[in-house]
């Protein structure tokens, strides 16, 4: 049966400049080309979940502008329910400026806009959705206070909450108290815990730190090394798939959305779900753009069968 997932998070229109290399401080360089596409960590994660077969809702904010209309329509094209996307009359829709080099690496500047202006008002009609869903996912591109309130409400309905603390910065203590699964990368984990990720022991210590804060399940993404997981069912590593990356934008978001689409509520199938999520992410990095590069469930399953 298809999973039911809501994503509370950011909506951005991504503009990508394609360059041979990143500029030095004070240097002006030429971009070979420029492209625009729907994006934002929250929107990407929702699309990844929906394309992998999950029934998906989105909770967020856009501006009263063309970009906001464009983003709502983009989500609807993937059959994502957008009724809980509010319209902010004072702030524009979020945007991201991405510089992508010839090796497929990127740096990103984000204008939060309506994403950062979001308040708990966006949750006023969310109870009916929380009553239906299996998982609620959020990130750090929208206010943590809104996420904390959403997670608290969702927990009252028996929903499993998933936090992707990216981009990493100081975390509200109460947020982790309502978090079931936390999914940072190694650098984000270090920012939050102060524990440098070097080996299995450091990852287990990180898992214990998160557990003491309230989050019982930890997944640390390690790029080309794979994913470490620690849950009450056990811990281990799931290796990454080796591919040539063209554009790493949305790789992590694809991983999280795809993972949630496969995960059992009690996380008992976490290792298998991680293999699926890793494969989905490996397909994303082989194409250009954020949302356009996210694979369907059929594409992931075909790749796994190779």
């Amino acid at each position: 049966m298809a999973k039911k997932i809501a994503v509370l998070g950011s909506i951005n229109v991504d503009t990508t400049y394609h360059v041979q290399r990143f500029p030095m401080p004070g240097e002006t360089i030429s971009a070979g080309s420029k492209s625009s596409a729907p994006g934002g960590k929250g929107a990407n994660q929702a699309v990844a979940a929906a394309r992998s077969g999950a029934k998906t809702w989105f909770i967020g904010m856009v501006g009263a502008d063309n970009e906001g209309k464009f983003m709502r329509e983009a989500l609807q094209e993937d059959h994502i329910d957008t009724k809980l996307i509010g319209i902010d009359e004072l702030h524009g829709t979020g945007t991201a400026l991405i510089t992508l080099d010839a090796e497929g690496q990127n740096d990103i500047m984000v204008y939060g806009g309506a994403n950062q202006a979001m308040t708990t008002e966006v949750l006023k009609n969310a109870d009916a959705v929380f009553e239906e869903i299996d998982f609620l996912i959020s990130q750090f591109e929208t206010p943590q206070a809104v996420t904390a309130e959403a997670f608290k409400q969702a927990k009252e309905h028996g929903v499993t909450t998933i936090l992707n603390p990216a981009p990493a910065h100081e975390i509200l203590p109460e947020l982790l108290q309502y978090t079931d699964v936390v999914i940072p990368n190694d650098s984000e984990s270090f920012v939050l815990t102060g524990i440098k990720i070097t080996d299995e022991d450091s990852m287990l210590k990180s898992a214990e730190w998160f557990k003491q804060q309230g989050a019982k399940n930890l997944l640390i993404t390690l790029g080309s090394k794979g994913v470490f997981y620690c849950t009450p069912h056990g811990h281990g590593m799931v290796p990454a798939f080796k591919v040539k990356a063209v554009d790493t934008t949305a790789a992590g978001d694809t991983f999280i959305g795809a993972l949630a689409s496969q995960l059992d509520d009690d996380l008992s199938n976490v290792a298998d779900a991680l293999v699926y999520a890793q494969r989905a992410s490996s397909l994303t990095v082989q194409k250009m753009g954020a949302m356009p590069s996210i694979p369907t469930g059929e594409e992931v399953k075909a790749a796994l069968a190779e």
Side-chain angles (χ1 to χ4, degrees), residues 1 135 231 257:
M1 189 165 60
F135 296 103
T231 78

Side-chain angles (χ1 to χ4, degrees), residues 152-279:
K152 180 181 178 183
Q153 289 183 29
K155 295 294 291 172
E156 291 168 359
H157 292 276
V159 174
T160 300
T161 55
I162 298 175
L163 179 66
N164 172 217
H169 48 76
E170 190 173 346
I171 191 168
L172 286 177
E174 60 263 36
L175 179 51
L176 285 176
Q177 292 172 21
Y178 301 118
T179 298
D180 292 308
V181 187
V182 60
I183 311 179
N185 64 23
D186 49 352
S187 61
E188 290 157 357
S189 182
F190 173 63
V191 168
L192 296 173
T193 68
I195 301 168
K196 189 169 179 59
I197 301 301
T198 55
D199 54 16
E200 184 180 87
D201 185 56
S202 62
M203 290 186 280
L204 287 170
K205 285 178 179 174
S206 300
E208 184 59 33
W209 185 93
F210 281 109
K211 187 177 178 182
Q212 288 176 3
Q213 309 303 311
K216 300 183 189 69
N217 304 280
L218 172 67
L219 310 178
I220 303 178
T221 58
L222 302 164
S224 61
K225 296 177 184 174
V227 183
F228 170 81
Y229 67 91
C230 185
T231 78
H233 298 286
H235 68 273
M237 281 285 300
V238 175
F241 290 86
K242 289 181 169 53
V243 298
K244 178 167 175 51
V246 174
D247 180 2
T248 55
T249 311
D253 299 331
T254 299
F255 171 84
I256 288 168
L259 175 72
S261 77
Q262 305 300 305
L263 205 55
D264 289 342
D265 295 0
D266 63 358
L267 273 68
S268 58
N269 70 332
V270 64
D272 289 341
L274 285 171
V275 171
Y276 179 94
Q278 290 274 68
R279 197 65 178 113

Side-chain angles (χ1 to χ4, degrees), residues 282-293:
S282 77
L283 295 176
T284 293
V285 302
Q286 295 179 70
K287 294 182 179 179
M288 298 298 300
M291 209 173 281
S293 69

Side-chain angles (χ1 to χ4, degrees), residues 3 9 12 18 31 42 49 73 88 97 101-103 113 138 142 160 193 200 243 263 294 301 303 306:
K3 292 295 171 185
N12 292 329
H18 302 260
E73 290 173 351
D88 186 331
L97 178 62
D101 75 4
E103 302 301 315
S138 193
T142 51
T160 300
T193 68
E200 184 180 87
V243 298
L263 205 55
I294 297 171
K301 288 169 186 169
E306 289 176 357

Side-chain angles (χ1 to χ4, degrees), residues 91-171:
H91 301 87
T93 299
T95 55
L97 178 62
I98 302 165
T99 308
L100 179 69
D101 75 4
E103 302 301 315
Q105 292 300 310
N106 61 39
D107 61 20
I108 304 173
M109 292 177 287
V110 177
Y111 162 67
N115 294 316
Q116 285 299 321
M118 189 192 301
T119 69
T120 54
E121 181 73 9
V122 78
L123 303 172
K124 65 182 179 181
N125 296 315
D127 268 347
V129 171
F130 293 159
E131 188 60 40
E132 277 204 62
I133 60 175
D134 303 299
F135 296 103
L136 174 61
I137 304 170
S138 193
Q139 330 77 35
F140 276 2
E141 288 186 338
T142 51
Q144 288 187 42
V146 180
T147 299
E149 179 59 31
F151 277 19
K152 180 181 178 183
Q153 289 183 29
K155 295 294 291 172
E156 291 168 359
H157 292 276
V159 174
T160 300
T161 55
I162 298 175
L163 179 66
N164 172 217
H169 48 76
E170 190 173 346
I171 191 168

